[in-house]
Amino acid sequence: MTVSALKTNENSDVLQISTLEGPVFYIRLGYLELTEPEEIAPEKVFDAEKEEDIVNAGLCFAAERKAEEFLARCEQCRAGLESKLLNRGHDRLYVKKALDYLENRGLLSDKRFAFSWVRSHTSLKPQGRTRLLSELCAKGIKSSVAKEVLNDFFSQYEEIDLCRKALEKAVRNGKTEEKLLKFMIDSGFSYKMINEVRESQSEN
């Protein structure tokens, strides 16, 4: 590969590389493993090994840019974002490097995604801690991260309030007796908490 031209923005580690062979692509210098950044210059000829290194850096950057497009729309978790990129044809190795970079920059955060998801999810579908933990783990969130997020969430919101809302919604939907109890337990609330809410409602 022979470099014909370079273009970069000031204070940026992203290069636009033009080659005599035709392709024009972008790389982030941080993705290079074998090639020193100062080696990349107009009229520089690279052997097969370093050419592959530079092309790989370009593929990592392409995965990064696509990931940023998804993140610009809404918070993403790493597992979900990885799946979306793989489905769009990006190689797993390049996806991993790109997501590592975005995590290190604080642009991708499972904890931030999980908290946002729990807050929006419970506003529409009140559920208890155990069900929320199960659903977060199913989304690819590590159990330790999910538990930390739920601790933060339930330090701000009372689980019993969610239990009360879930119970009221279930009753409005016609659930009674055994079906009501099963629904509430499946929603992640403890038998003790369910009874506490039911007793308080019967007293009012």
Side-chain angles (χ1 to χ4, degrees):
M1 182 180 75
T2 304
V3 175
S4 61
L6 297 175
K7 183 179 180 181
T8 183
N9 295 325
E10 189 176 356
N11 300 323
S12 172
D13 68 341
V14 175
L15 286 179
Q16 182 192 68
I17 298 178
S18 302
T19 66
L20 287 180
E21 293 79 5
V24 177
F25 57 96
Y26 291 85
I27 70 167
R28 186 178 295 286
L29 297 176
Y31 292 130
L32 295 171
E33 296 184 352
L34 303 174
T35 312
E36 295 297 330
E38 55 270 21
E39 291 183 69
I40 304 176
E43 302 183 5
K44 177 72 175 182
V45 180
F46 292 96
D47 61 22
E49 189 175 37
K50 289 193 174 180
E51 175 182 344
E52 183 180 9
D53 184 41
I54 294 170
V55 171
N56 286 346
L59 293 170
C60 289
F61 186 66
E64 176 195 322
R65 292 296 298 272
K66 179 54 69 173
E68 286 181 331
E69 289 181 19
F70 286 118
L71 288 166
R73 300 172 193 168
C74 62
E75 289 284 3
Q76 306 278 338
C77 65
R78 179 167 180 137
L81 191 50
E82 179 181 19
S83 178
K84 290 176 181 178
L85 294 173
L86 293 175
N87 287 338
R88 280 159 179 76
H90 294 275
D91 185 272
R92 188 177 299 276
L93 174 62
Y94 308 135
V95 169
K96 179 185 183 304
K97 291 182 178 179
L99 298 188
D100 285 346
Y101 172 81
L102 292 171
E103 280 187 333
N104 290 335
R105 288 283 310 278
L107 300 174
L108 173 65
S109 166
D110 274 4
K111 183 176 180 180
R112 193 170 60 233
F113 163 84
F115 192 91
S116 175
W117 181 86
V118 169
R119 185 169 52 190
S120 62
H121 181 77
T122 53
S123 68
L124 299 173
K125 192 174 183 180
Q127 292 180 329
R129 181 186 291 263
T130 57
R131 179 62 182 268
L132 292 170
L133 176 61
S134 175
E135 295 208 15
L136 285 173
C137 290
K139 291 180 178 295
I141 305 297
K142 291 181 180 178
S143 177
S144 58
V145 173
K147 289 177 181 177
E148 182 181 357
V149 166
L150 290 174
N151 286 339
D152 290 344
F153 179 77
F154 285 115
S155 70
Q156 300 178 37
Y157 304 92
E158 293 292 338
E159 185 176 7
I160 196 167
D161 289 338
L162 292 176
C163 183
R164 186 176 298 109
K165 290 178 182 178
L167 185 65
E168 290 171 352
K169 185 176 181 179
V171 170
R172 286 198 303 271
N173 289 335
K175 288 184 170 57
T176 58
E177 302 305 327
E178 291 184 3
K179 288 185 177 180
L180 177 61
L181 180 59
K182 182 180 185 305
F183 171 81
M184 293 298 295
I185 291 176
D186 288 345
S187 294
F189 300 104
S190 69
Y191 184 78
K192 179 180 178 182
M193 184 176 292
I194 296 167
N195 277 341
E196 183 179 342
V197 170
R198 294 182 76 176
E199 288 174 3
S200 66
Q201 289 180 340
S202 64
E203 292 172 358
N204 295 331

